[in-house]
Amino acid sequence: MGSRGHYRYHWQSHNVKQSGVDDMVLLSKINEDAIVDNLKKRYMDDYIFTYIGPVLISVNPFKQMPYFTDKEVDLYQGAAQYENPPHIYALADNMYRNMMIDRENQCVIISGESGAGKTVAAKYIMGYISRVSGGGPRVQHVKDIILQSNPLLEAFGNAKTIRNNNSSRFGKYFEIQFSPGGEPDGGKISNFLLEKSRVVTRNPGERSFHIFYQLIEGAGADQKSSLGVTTLDYYTYLNTSGSYKVDDINDKSDFKETMHAMQVIGISPEDRNMVLQIVAGVLHLGNINFKEAGNYAAVENEEFLAFPAFLLGIDQSRLREKLTSRKMDGRWGGKNESIDVTLNTEQAVFTRDALSKALHSRVFDFLVESINRAIIKDHEELNIGVLDIYGFEIFQKNGFEQFCINFVNEKLQQIFIELTLKAEQEEYVQEGIKWTAIEYFNNKIVCDLIESKLNPPGIMSILDDVCATMHAKGEGADQTLLQKLRMGIHTHEHFNSWNQGFIIHHYAGKVSYDAEGFCERNRDVLFTDLIELMQSSDISFIRALFPENLNADKKGRPTTAGSKIKRQANDLVATLMKCTPHYIRCIKPNETKKPKDWEESRVKHQVEYLGLKENIRVRRAGYAYRRIFRKFLNRYAILTKESWPSWRGDEKQGVLHLLRSVNMDQDQFQLGTSKIFIKAPESLFLLEEMRERKFDGYARAIQRAWRQHAARKKYVQMREEASDLLLNRKERRRHSLNRNFVGDYVGMDDRPELRQFLAKREKVEFADTVVKYDRRFKGIKRDLILTAKCVYLIGREKLKAGPEKGQVTEVLKRRIEVDKILAVSLSTLQDDFLILHEQEYDSLLECVFKTEFISLLSRLYEEKTQRKLPLKFGNTLELKLKKESWGPWSGGGQRQVVFVGGQGDVCVLKPSSKTLQVSIGPGLPKNTRPSRKSLIQGRPSGHRGHQHTPTRAAPGPPVSHQNGGVKSSTQAANQRNAQHRPPPAPGNQRPPPGNQPSNQPRPVLPTSGGSQKGRGGGSRTQPSTNAQPNLDCLKVPEQGAAGSRRPAANGGNAHRSSTRPPPGAGRPKPAPKPKPQPKPQVPQCRALYAYDAQDTDELSFNADDLIDIIKEDASGWWTGRLRGKQGLFPNNYVTKI
């Protein structure tokens, strides 16, 4: 867990001045002024996030910040909270990981006043979780819907207010549901109290819902024509408040985004058109005005009835009738009778507006239902809830909607107090932790004032009672409400009344509510006449929005808006209390909505009512982490053998045992009666880091075993395919038959002087040092490199001019495109010669790893040309020469290479003017195939003394000691042959040494990404120390394209080693000059050159060190002992004494 192990740049952590403190628990003074000052410092430097322990404080910057990119997602994913600067991604990642670790539901409560940035915060959280969680097509579909639900619901539920340009006029709780593997595979939205009155009226300077403006600005010409859409100021519902445009909102582009969102969610094109048709219908309804005709209402202009009637699929005369009259039910003499009552103009306007509000509200509910239907899941497993709800707000005139909104915010504040201040302190007392109580304001008294049912009844109960006795549109009901409030709760310390309404002392300050319209909006009754009207529509979509059964008996009181929001708020609180909560406290720095504008008094007021000071004090004195003993033991059991897989014994003692195993200081934790409390997050990060290392070690062991298994299967297949090319056509060398294929035998990753001739990012398939023979059959070393495109031959020449005159440099001698190769010729004997035929001239090469080279070349040739590579076998091979520009060979010509039977495994060359005779003894029969049993040789053995030689060839001496080409093929071959006595073990296995100590520490090999890259076949022989040094074996090769992984030297018990020497730890310090010693009991050798170990079972030594020889091996890797350590070393770095 935590950082990825290498240096990372971040927008807030490097090369910037420190602005205040990241976590306000660290403030030297804890008061409101210090908190405000710290927030201001950070805000002015564009650091909008600050912590109070696990609580995130977010200040609205009123501009787009640069640190919400993929770079930040990578930075915060899997990192501990305090590894990086405060960020909403850190909280989201912590929430997601806690869900996966503890298998518990999580939620984030985003609170703050209107315009503080709550909706944007919710978007960032959902976006982050979508990006870091995996999944297939179904999961991606769910993610798309989760993200696209935001612009869709904002279009129909958000509006510009005087406090916020994109104010949520509804509340939503979005549950993102996850599979056990952490992929989001479902979800559910619960929406609260859409402020539907905004459709028909609003304060000056505000707008209605965004969708009305989007439709007018963004619809195409055909759409506008069919919907009767004109200009913004044409519609009464839009022109009353005098605000049409918003600076930072582009209604035209937002309309496209809204339509795209509906498509992603799965709303059909027909339903999308119907939604827009209803939106336009609502606008046209608003243009129906009324006039008085004999104390009754009449439609002022019949023309304005046509378009809404057409769009809603209803009869025009029926629409007029239902807007100007109402059916009233009454009882006369025990019988139910219905009579039509004609409405006055005020009642007609009220009826029109009720229909408009109902249409918009039901379309909104349809959209929420569509989203839920698209991501519904038949069973719940894990979920993360994101609460984005309207903020606390105070307007010039505050009505019923503000009352409900502020009540919900009051409930959310109560949750915060209950869980962060009250419950935490009570828990310390219950668990027996030493604690001094911290005082705070508990707003439960305000919640009870609003929602209490009895003794005394709350405001909502009194309001419902008044509404139950209302008839039709009761003009006097609001005054009745005020009288009852004054009589019932006038003595409450958080309540005052005034002539037009009442005042509540909320946690965020006093709010004056105007009682006008309270009762009517609370009743929230849609008259049956209007329901019948909509059910008579020709359009099935509209009929489906009004599914009420009007013939059912009406029992009990109708549900009021107040009682509904109260029930929803309490259900929401119950849901949140079942989750592990996380908090974001949003702060609005100004009312101008401009960046870098800081209103000190406004921020201080928010700091006070949010209770940040008390939050800091409790967090500072308290404990950052608490877990019951059993969960703690389950989480960290892997840290010790005694606790893994489960602790046997007293749980408290087990917890103590784990804490001692990581040497945690006593003052960093306390043990309660059933829980452990850890004070600092850093102490918890220590535990997590230790746990992660344990898991990492085991994961690496599993990966290593799997890679070895996969590599063995791959190499067997490669060997068999290569063998098939030569089967029944060429004799085989004994030591080459079962060796592993490595590919890169020169270490191209460390050879930029060779890489320079290749194209950028050109992958090397094979690289080795070969002998190339010229027209006089003189051999010279070349680096043979094979890529997917070309074969390269690279040599060396002395510079004849310039400042570096006399220095040897690499030169590209030949470059042959793979598809331009005509054929490859080989003999039928066991020699290593091959001829590459090309249009211009041929190349005669002697390559020890010819089988591997031809196998790879054949595959690449077939991929390029779609045909097999021609392979020619014979004992008389023709060689076409290059045309020279001068001298006796300028005409080119032909040469022959003749192969004859001889003695031994080493070629004897007899060149003449135009013929080269190659004689060699018999090899393995032509029908010999590699044995699958050789796999066993590559597997780790449990035998304590068993070792393997490295699978790469032993390196040549350092480059500074090498110069020139080969002396002659025969001489070099004889030197190689000297190392084949006794014959080497097949493959890369070496017989176990007889006197290797059995108690030697067994090293654990690093994973394949480390120093074991590029190990070749142990069968490749090397020149003895008396031979001219090999120019090209400069460094230990890195793993090539077909590289093998070397098994642990001590078999399957490697990971149990008590000591783990660092791989490639470097050369030890030179030892003092040794004193003369008596004749050694074992053979010794003296180091000619210094050597740095390239793996854990190799020796590092300096020039002139004396090494005891324990075992000589034909592969070129000897076993020796130096300074008490036993290991492998290359024999051509030493000379025997």
Side-chain angles (χ1 to χ4, degrees):
M1 188 177 78
S3 62
R4 308 298 192 281
H6 61 274
Y7 180 86
R8 287 180 175 228
Y9 172 77
H10 187 253
W11 53 274
Q12 203 170 331
S13 55
H14 307 292
N15 302 325
V16 294
K17 67 176 182 177
Q18 184 68 27
S19 295
V21 295
D22 285 353
D23 189 336
M24 290 195 286
V25 171
L26 304 176
L27 285 173
S28 55
K29 292 181 180 179
I30 304 177
N31 55 49
E32 278 83 3
D33 290 335
I35 295 168
V36 171
D37 184 57
N38 187 67
L39 292 174
K40 181 180 180 180
K41 283 180 186 174
R42 297 177 63 75
Y43 177 76
M44 290 302 180
D45 287 331
D46 284 341
Y47 303 157
I48 63 172
F49 298 119
T50 310
Y51 291 134
I52 298 177
V55 177
L56 182 70
I57 312 299
S58 172
V59 184
N60 191 343
F62 291 108
K63 64 178 180 179
Q64 182 60 47
M65 305 306 287
Y67 36 75
F68 295 97
T69 65
D70 288 341
K71 184 174 77 172
E72 280 71 44
V73 172
D74 292 339
L75 188 75
Y76 284 92
Q77 186 177 358
Q81 180 175 320
Y82 288 91
E83 281 189 52
N84 297 309
H87 201 289
I88 197 167
Y89 286 170
L91 180 137
D93 189 74
N94 187 38
M95 187 164 53
Y96 179 70
R97 284 188 296 123
N98 284 355
M99 178 191 72
M100 297 304 299
I101 291 167
D102 298 330
R103 316 307 289 178
E104 291 178 353
N105 295 339
Q106 311 285 310
C107 68
V108 57
I109 301 171
I110 309 171
S111 57
E113 59 184 61
S114 181
K118 298 181 298 303
T119 298
V120 175
K123 284 186 200 172
Y124 281 131
I125 288 174
M126 289 194 279
Y128 178 85
I129 290 172
S130 176
R131 286 154 89 176
V132 301
S133 52
R138 157 70 184 167
V139 170
Q140 188 56 49
H141 179 61
V142 170
K143 288 181 181 180
D144 291 341
I145 293 173
I146 289 170
L147 296 179
Q148 290 299 321
S149 67
N150 284 316
L152 179 58
L153 295 183
E154 281 183 22
F156 286 82
N158 285 30
K160 175 197 181 247
T161 68
I162 58 172
R163 300 176 67 90
N164 183 1
N165 287 345
N166 187 33
S167 177
S168 297
R169 308 317 298 164
F170 72 106
K172 77 168 183 245
Y173 183 61
F174 202 138
E175 290 178 89
I176 307 171
Q177 296 166 347
F178 294 85
S179 68
E183 298 92 8
D185 58 354
K188 178 185 174 186
I189 295 179
S190 304
N191 62 304
F192 312 101
L193 188 70
L194 177 71
E195 188 195 27
K196 52 192 176 186
S197 62
R198 183 164 291 272
V199 173
V200 299
T201 183
R202 66 209 68 88
N203 291 322
E206 297 187 345
R207 294 207 316 177
S208 186
F209 295 107
H210 295 322
I211 186 61
F212 297 114
Y213 306 89
Q214 291 179 10
L215 175 64
I216 294 169
E217 294 289 337
D222 291 342
Q223 268 183 318
K224 286 184 178 182
S225 175
S226 63
L227 298 177
V229 171
T230 58
T231 58
L232 289 166
D233 56 3
Y234 172 76
Y235 300 101
T236 306
Y237 279 161
L238 302 184
N239 62 28
T240 52
S241 58
S243 178
Y244 303 114
K245 303 284 186 182
V246 182
D247 292 339
D248 54 353
I249 290 178
N250 185 330
D251 292 312
K252 189 171 183 178
S253 63
D254 287 352
F255 179 72
K256 291 179 182 175
E257 192 175 355
T258 300
M259 298 309 293
H260 174 68
M262 282 200 260
Q263 180 185 348
V264 169
I265 284 159
I267 299 174
S268 67
E270 296 78 15
D271 287 353
R272 294 202 292 269
N273 289 333
M274 284 313 309
V275 167
L276 297 181
Q277 198 164 313
I278 293 172
V279 170
V282 168
L283 289 177
H284 285 290
L285 275 175
N287 281 4
I288 300 174
N289 292 316
F290 303 96
K291 62 183 179 181
E292 285 213 13
N295 293 328
Y296 298 117
V299 175
E300 194 172 82
N301 188 338
E302 295 276 337
E303 292 179 5
F304 287 102
L305 287 168
F307 235 108
F310 164 71
L311 293 174
L312 299 176
I314 54 180
D315 183 71
Q316 182 174 331
S317 61
R318 192 168 166 77
L319 174 60
R320 180 183 62 246
E321 176 192 338
K322 294 299 182 184
L323 292 181
T324 56
S325 66
R326 183 181 308 158
K327 188 181 290 182
M328 300 287 289
D329 293 330
R331 289 178 66 85
W332 296 90
K335 294 181 180 180
N336 291 331
E337 291 186 7
S338 296
I339 57 171
D340 288 328
V341 177
T342 309
L343 307 179
N344 60 31
T345 53
E346 185 184 358
Q347 291 170 328
V349 168
F350 179 83
T351 304
R352 176 201 67 190
D353 291 348
L355 178 58
S356 299
K357 291 188 290 184
L359 282 166
H360 185 81
S361 173
R362 295 189 184 213
V363 165
F364 187 82
D365 290 339
F366 163 78
L367 295 174
V368 172
E369 188 182 327
S370 298
I371 295 167
N372 286 338
R373 200 165 44 238
I375 54 177
I376 192 168
K377 190 175 168 185
D378 54 3
H379 63 286
E380 285 194 23
E381 289 166 310
L382 298 169
N383 70 66
I384 289 177
V386 181
L387 180 63
D388 173 24
I389 208 156
Y390 19 58
F392 187 92
E393 59 188 21
I394 307 173
F395 292 123
Q396 198 66 37
K397 180 180 179 181
N398 301 290
F400 178 74
E401 285 80 6
Q402 280 67 50
F403 173 73
C404 293
I405 286 170
N406 293 343
F407 163 66
V408 174
N409 277 272
E410 201 77 54
K411 294 290 287 185
L412 294 181
Q413 175 69 2
Q414 190 185 4
I415 291 181
F416 184 78
I417 288 170
E418 283 283 337
L419 297 180
T420 61
L421 301 177
K422 183 173 182 283
E424 184 167 339
Q425 296 194 71
E426 289 175 353
E427 185 178 39
Y428 295 145
V429 175
Q430 290 168 3
E431 289 285 329
I433 305 297
K434 295 175 184 176
W435 183 255
T436 303
I438 293 170
E439 296 297 322
Y440 59 91
F441 168 66
N442 190 337
N443 73 326
K444 186 176 185 300
I445 189 172
V446 183
C447 294
D448 290 342
L449 166 66
I450 297 171
E451 66 174 340
S452 177
K453 292 183 179 179
L454 297 169
N455 299 325
I459 295 172
M460 283 188 169
S461 295
I462 295 172
L463 178 59
D464 284 351
D465 285 340
V466 173
C467 290
T469 60
M470 280 178 64
H471 297 287
K473 186 177 186 299
E475 287 81 359
D478 295 331
Q479 287 304 314
T480 305
L481 170 66
L482 281 180
Q483 290 172 11
K484 288 199 172 189
L485 288 177
R486 288 167 189 157
M487 289 169 57
I489 53 177
H490 70 282
T491 57
H492 198 288
E493 59 180 318
H494 291 270
F495 177 86
N496 299 116
S497 64
W498 58 296
N499 58 348
Q500 292 182 350
F502 57 92
I503 298 169
I504 296 178
H505 297 239
H506 287 285
Y507 76 99
K510 292 197 296 184
V511 181
S512 297
Y513 295 103
D514 192 324
E516 182 185 353
F518 248 71
C519 294
E520 195 58 54
R521 290 177 181 176
N522 183 52
R523 279 184 72 198
D524 195 30
V525 174
L526 186 62
F527 300 121
T528 56
D529 300 69
L530 297 179
I531 297 174
E532 284 177 352
L533 176 66
M534 290 297 102
Q535 290 179 345
S536 70
S537 171
D538 298 335
I539 302 169
S540 59
F541 181 87
I542 292 178
R543 292 199 302 271
L545 295 180
F546 294 84
E548 289 90 340
N549 182 2
L550 298 178
N551 297 320
D553 291 336
K554 302 178 179 67
K555 295 180 181 178
R557 286 186 181 182
T559 303
T560 61
S563 60
K564 184 178 178 183
I565 195 66
K566 184 167 71 171
R567 187 186 71 250
Q568 288 180 328
N570 288 316
D571 289 346
L572 174 63
V573 168
T575 301
L576 296 176
M577 295 294 261
K578 291 176 186 173
C579 304
T580 302
H582 304 260
Y583 305 95
I584 301 177
R585 311 290 265 170
C586 296
I587 289 178
K588 186 177 185 182
N590 61 63
E591 281 296 341
T592 62
K593 303 175 203 155
K594 294 179 180 176
K596 296 291 179 83
D597 186 6
W598 185 266
E599 294 179 24
E600 193 92 7
S601 59
R602 173 168 295 282
V603 176
K604 188 173 181 180
H605 175 63
Q606 293 172 76
V607 166
E608 288 171 349
Y609 74 65
L610 288 173
L612 299 190
K613 181 180 73 173
E614 292 78 10
N615 192 196
I616 293 170
R617 291 179 63 198
V618 171
R619 176 53 53 183
R620 194 162 176 170
Y623 293 82
Y625 173 89
R626 76 238 22 226
R627 275 293 183 278
I628 60 174
F629 293 148
R630 178 177 48 78
K631 282 192 175 182
F632 185 83
L633 283 170
N634 289 344
R635 177 75 178 155
Y636 300 108
I638 199 170
L639 295 183
T640 68
K641 292 178 181 178
E642 293 80 6
S643 58
W644 180 260
S646 61
W647 173 261
R648 294 179 181 84
D650 180 57
E651 289 181 343
K652 193 170 187 177
Q653 291 303 314
V655 171
L656 208 52
H657 165 75
L658 287 175
L659 295 173
R660 286 171 180 160
S661 73
V662 296
N663 299 318
M664 188 178 291
D665 293 339
Q666 183 67 42
D667 62 351
Q668 284 299 306
F669 68 90
Q670 279 201 56
L671 299 181
T673 56
S674 64
K675 291 183 180 180
I676 174 176
F677 295 83
I678 296 178
K679 196 166 191 66
E682 290 76 12
S683 301
L684 181 63
F685 300 156
L686 165 70
L687 284 165
E688 287 292 328
E689 189 72 29
M690 299 289 286
R691 179 179 180 272
E692 196 72 14
R693 286 182 185 178
K694 285 282 186 181
F695 273 112
D696 184 65
Y698 292 133
R700 286 174 184 271
I702 294 168
Q703 286 173 344
R704 185 164 58 246
W706 168 251
R707 285 171 181 157
Q708 287 174 351
H709 169 72
R712 282 194 294 268
K713 286 181 67 177
K714 175 184 172 185
Y715 296 140
V716 166
Q717 182 183 354
M718 287 177 65
R719 283 206 302 265
E720 289 177 347
E721 289 174 356
S723 175
D724 289 345
L725 292 173
L726 308 182
L727 188 66
N728 295 322
R729 302 164 89 177
K730 184 174 176 65
E731 294 176 3
R732 304 299 304 277
R733 283 187 182 274
R734 181 176 290 102
H735 64 269
S736 74
L737 195 63
N738 286 315
R739 70 171 192 84
N740 286 337
F741 288 177
V742 174
D744 182 3
Y745 296 94
V746 299
M748 289 294 291
D749 287 345
D750 296 323
R751 302 290 295 276
E753 71 276 14
L754 300 180
R755 274 268 178 198
Q756 65 177 316
F757 301 109
L758 277 61
K760 193 175 182 181
R761 297 190 183 90
E762 193 171 1
K763 182 182 176 184
V764 175
E765 301 284 350
F766 179 87
D768 188 29
T769 302
V770 301
V771 178
K772 188 260 181 188
Y773 292 88
D774 63 11
R775 65 183 62 238
R776 290 174 292 181
F777 303 115
K778 178 183 176 183
I780 190 160
K781 288 286 181 71
R782 292 282 186 264
D783 287 313
L784 172 67
I785 298 172
L786 172 65
T787 70
K789 296 179 180 178
C790 301
V791 176
Y792 298 87
L793 285 169
I794 300 171
R796 282 150 189 81
E797 289 182 358
K798 279 188 179 181
L799 294 173
K800 297 178 180 178
E804 298 178 347
K805 181 180 178 182
Q807 291 188 19
V808 177
T809 186
E810 285 71 19
V811 178
L812 180 63
K813 291 293 187 179
R814 191 162 194 199
R815 178 180 179 273
I816 310 171
E817 293 182 16
V818 168
D819 55 354
K820 297 293 175 61
I821 294 174
L822 302 178
V824 178
S825 295
L826 302 99
S827 77
T828 62
L829 305 181
Q830 65 158 327
D831 60 275
D832 293 330
F833 283 85
L834 62 94
I835 298 176
L836 290 178
H837 297 282
E838 198 249 358
Q839 189 70 41
E840 191 178 351
Y841 63 96
D842 303 335
S843 293
L844 174 61
L845 307 174
E846 187 178 14
C847 175
V848 176
F849 302 124
K850 64 185 178 304
T851 307
E852 182 177 353
F853 171 71
I854 291 169
S855 167
L856 291 167
L857 178 62
S858 178
R859 176 174 61 81
L860 295 170
Y861 182 87
E862 189 170 351
E863 289 174 1
K864 280 276 187 184
T865 64
Q866 307 303 314
R867 60 180 187 272
K868 299 283 186 183
L869 174 69
L871 295 178
K872 299 178 181 179
F873 294 87
N875 289 338
T876 301
L877 305 180
E878 297 292 331
L879 178 69
K880 183 169 66 174
L881 299 181
K882 180 181 180 181
K883 291 183 179 181
E884 300 286 356
S885 57
W886 58 277
W889 302 284
S890 59
Q894 301 277 339
R895 296 287 185 272
Q896 278 191 340
V897 184
V898 179
F899 296 86
V900 297
Q903 299 293 320
D905 293 334
V906 180
C907 293
V908 177
L909 308 185
K910 292 183 180 177
S912 62
S913 60
K914 291 195 175 183
T915 305
L916 172 66
Q917 180 180 298
V918 180
S919 64
I920 190 168
L924 294 176
K926 294 179 182 179
N927 62 356
T928 307
R929 292 180 64 86
S931 169
R932 282 185 173 268
K933 291 181 180 178
S934 64
L935 265 179
I936 301 169
Q937 299 162 357
R939 290 177 182 160
S941 167
H943 193 282
R944 295 176 64 85
H946 193 74
Q947 271 191 315
H948 300 287
T949 54
T951 54
R952 63 183 167 91
V959 67
S960 58
H961 301 284
Q962 303 180 28
N963 190 14
V966 293
K967 294 177 181 177
S968 75
S969 177
T970 306
Q971 185 177 0
N974 289 335
Q975 290 164 354
R976 283 201 306 272
N977 192 40
Q979 296 184 337
H980 281 278
R981 304 290 186 265
N988 65 347
Q989 184 181 13
R990 185 182 68 243
N995 58 345
Q996 183 175 344
S998 61
N999 62 349
Q1000 179 188 356
R1002 299 191 295 276
V1004 178
L1005 290 179
T1007 54
S1008 59
S1011 59
Q1012 63 189 23
K1013 287 184 179 180
R1015 297 283 172 120
S1019 60
R1020 186 176 184 187
T1021 55
Q1022 294 294 320
S1024 73
T1025 54
N1026 297 325
Q1028 188 167 348
N1030 181 341
L1031 178 67
D1032 301 300
C1033 298
L1034 301 179
K1035 298 179 182 178
V1036 177
E1038 291 295 314
Q1039 186 172 3
S1044 63
R1045 293 172 179 82
R1046 181 163 158 232
N1050 57 344
N1053 297 325
H1055 68 279
R1056 298 184 190 135
S1057 169
S1058 58
T1059 59
R1060 178 177 176 146
R1067 190 182 308 147
K1069 293 181 180 179
K1073 195 168 182 181
K1075 297 178 181 178
Q1077 296 179 350
K1079 190 173 182 180
Q1081 299 298 315
V1082 294
Q1084 287 188 315
C1085 57
R1086 184 184 305 280
L1088 297 173
Y1089 321 110
Y1091 178 70
D1092 286 330
Q1094 302 297 305
D1095 213 334
T1096 55
D1097 56 353
E1098 296 178 16
L1099 289 177
S1100 292
F1101 49 80
N1102 293 292
D1104 296 325
D1105 279 350
L1106 293 178
I1107 304 170
D1108 294 341
I1109 302 173
I1110 293 173
K1111 174 73 176 167
E1112 297 182 31
D1113 193 84
S1115 68
W1117 287 99
W1118 291 0
T1119 305
R1121 185 185 297 110
L1122 177 64
R1123 302 182 189 91
K1125 180 183 176 182
Q1126 183 170 311
L1128 299 164
F1129 64 94
N1131 68 351
N1132 46 12
Y1133 273 63
V1134 301
T1135 181
K1136 288 184 70 170
I1137 298 174

